[in-house]
Amino acid sequence: RGRLNQDGILAFWLPGSLTYISSELRDLNACILNALRNTYEYIRIIPGDYNIFLASDSEGIMKVTPSLISQRIIQENIDTSILVPNYLDYRLNKNSLEWFMQTASSATKKINRDLKPIAVFEMLILWNKKFSKSLYLFLKVLNNLDSGVVFLFIFLIMLLLSYVFYRTRDRFSTITYCIATTGFFGMLTSLILVFSFQVFYGYLYRMIGILISIFMAGIALGSIYITANFEKIKSEFRLFIRLEALIIAFTFILALTITRFLSSGYCASLIFIVLFFISGLLMGLEFPLASKIYLEVRKQVGSTAGILYAADLLGGWVAGISGSIVLLPVLGFFNTCLVIVMFKLSSLLLLILYGAPKKRV
């Protein structure tokens, strides 16, 4: 809206139908329509096999009629074989609009937002209804997901792992779980920052390679630094706990930076560079430290690297699947950051509860 001139019009289209509108198609259009109603004074919809949406603060879009369009075409001497009077009457038929609005009256009240793009999830539901019924049913269940359910799920995971760690007496497993949640943190914060950059700048592909490279540079420098200073570390376990706490603090700061600071209108690419670098740096600091703690127990380089790397990849895989498809569009950016915080809190609590792994003779 801020980019438009006084009489400017935002125009786009969404999938539609003049014969049958399914609940999925209805909700997809409705969440976008709800967003437009919160922003623009005048909204006009032209229903069809694709619905044309026109939004403006100018009343002019409501005064356009088929005869006016035909008159303008004649005045400008435009040669057209499609926009003939009969077709214009058909597309701008009031009965079609009334039918569409009546159908939309029972649709979702959710609002598609930049930092909570529920329309992405509604589109996934619509496409999977066409091509994958089993996945469609699964996504329909997740459509009503809220942060409370996710937090309860994380709490149950923590209770289960706590029981397993207690029964097995394998305190080292807490380190493996920490690395899995760190992999989750690294992947999901990258997704959050990538999508946020797209939201605030409107472009991504010419920058995504640079941004990911900065993230990887942070991992590399963090690993080099912590490895070079191993001999100076008095207690690897205490430092590991501090890094866990630092990741939690950084994630909370990330949530506030994106949803409060950047969304208020102040946006600078330097902020994204710093956030990408720090998230990579924290990962780079923790992984070698976990390996050192693990090696003091197991004394096997191959199994240490394999187990911890597998845990890191597993956490990243879960974040990549759940984050991009469900968490970000359904919960929004802020609550997704809180999901990361909850996972890292669970690993930190288990780490403190079961203590440093004992050395084996």
Side-chain angles (χ1 to χ4, degrees), residues 1-290:
R1 180 183 181 183
R3 295 287 185 177
L4 292 177
N5 294 330
Q6 185 175 358
D7 296 327
I9 301 171
L10 172 65
F12 59 91
W13 66 270
L14 288 173
S17 174
L18 287 176
T19 55
Y20 170 71
I21 297 181
S22 66
S23 59
E24 295 77 21
L25 185 60
R26 177 198 65 193
D27 289 344
L28 171 62
N29 282 267
C31 69
I32 298 291
L33 179 59
N34 294 337
L36 292 175
R37 284 172 172 166
N38 275 5
T39 307
Y40 295 93
E41 188 173 354
Y42 299 100
I43 302 162
R44 186 163 183 178
I45 304 169
I46 304 174
D49 292 331
Y50 54 93
N51 300 320
I52 300 175
F53 286 78
L54 305 174
S56 178
D57 287 330
S58 172
E59 191 179 2
I61 62 172
M62 310 304 294
K63 298 179 180 179
V64 176
T65 62
S67 59
L68 178 60
I69 297 175
S70 297
Q71 181 182 346
R72 294 283 178 84
I73 290 174
I74 294 173
Q75 288 177 352
E76 300 297 331
N77 194 27
I78 299 174
D79 183 19
T80 175
S81 58
I82 297 178
L83 297 179
V84 296
N86 287 340
Y87 179 76
L88 293 172
D89 289 335
Y90 166 72
R91 285 307 306 269
L92 299 178
N93 186 287
K94 291 184 178 179
N95 293 331
S96 298
L97 179 59
E98 291 174 359
W99 176 72
F100 175 84
M101 297 306 297
Q102 183 180 3
T103 303
S105 63
S106 59
T108 180
K109 304 303 179 185
K110 295 178 181 179
I111 301 174
N112 185 72
R113 301 185 185 279
D114 285 340
L115 299 181
K116 192 176 181 180
I118 189 63
V120 174
F121 194 73
E122 296 290 353
M123 181 65 83
L124 287 173
I125 292 176
L126 178 62
W127 274 94
N128 280 282
K129 186 176 184 180
K130 296 178 180 179
F131 303 112
S132 177
K133 190 166 185 179
S134 58
L135 188 55
Y136 155 74
L137 294 173
F138 179 67
L139 292 176
K140 283 289 286 185
V141 173
L142 294 177
N143 196 21
N144 297 316
L145 187 69
D146 60 41
S147 55
V149 174
V150 178
F151 296 161
L152 177 61
F153 176 73
I154 296 172
F155 179 72
L156 293 176
I157 290 177
M158 187 181 72
L159 288 181
L160 176 61
L161 290 176
S162 180
Y163 174 76
V164 172
F165 296 160
Y166 174 77
R167 291 297 300 269
T168 60
R169 303 293 181 180
D170 185 4
R171 296 184 176 186
F172 175 74
S173 298
T174 58
I175 300 293
T176 306
Y177 178 61
C178 289
I179 291 300
T181 57
T182 298
F184 184 89
F185 154 80
M187 176 60 75
L188 199 45
T189 52
S190 296
L191 288 174
I192 291 170
L193 287 169
V194 164
F195 293 157
S196 298
F197 191 93
Q198 170 69 46
V199 165
F200 294 121
Y201 284 96
Y203 64 90
L204 176 63
Y205 290 110
R206 77 179 188 185
M207 283 294 294
I208 190 170
I210 296 174
L211 295 174
I212 297 301
S213 296
I214 292 169
F215 173 75
M216 299 301 291
I219 293 177
L221 290 176
S223 300
I224 292 171
Y225 176 81
I226 196 72
T227 304
N229 289 274
F230 271 157
E231 295 181 357
K232 300 178 182 178
I233 300 174
K234 295 181 180 180
S235 173
E236 293 88 356
F237 180 71
R238 289 181 182 177
L239 180 57
F240 196 86
I241 288 180
R242 291 171 186 168
L243 285 175
E244 286 282 292
L246 195 58
I247 290 174
I248 294 171
F250 170 77
T251 306
F252 192 72
I253 293 172
L254 173 68
L256 293 177
T257 301
I258 292 174
T259 59
R260 300 293 187 269
F261 185 63
L262 294 178
S263 62
S264 66
Y266 184 84
C267 193
S269 56
L270 179 61
I271 296 175
F272 282 95
I273 291 173
V274 171
L275 292 174
F276 266 104
F277 180 79
I278 293 177
S279 60
L281 182 70
L282 292 173
M283 287 191 68
L285 289 171
E286 189 167 284
F287 193 92
L289 191 60

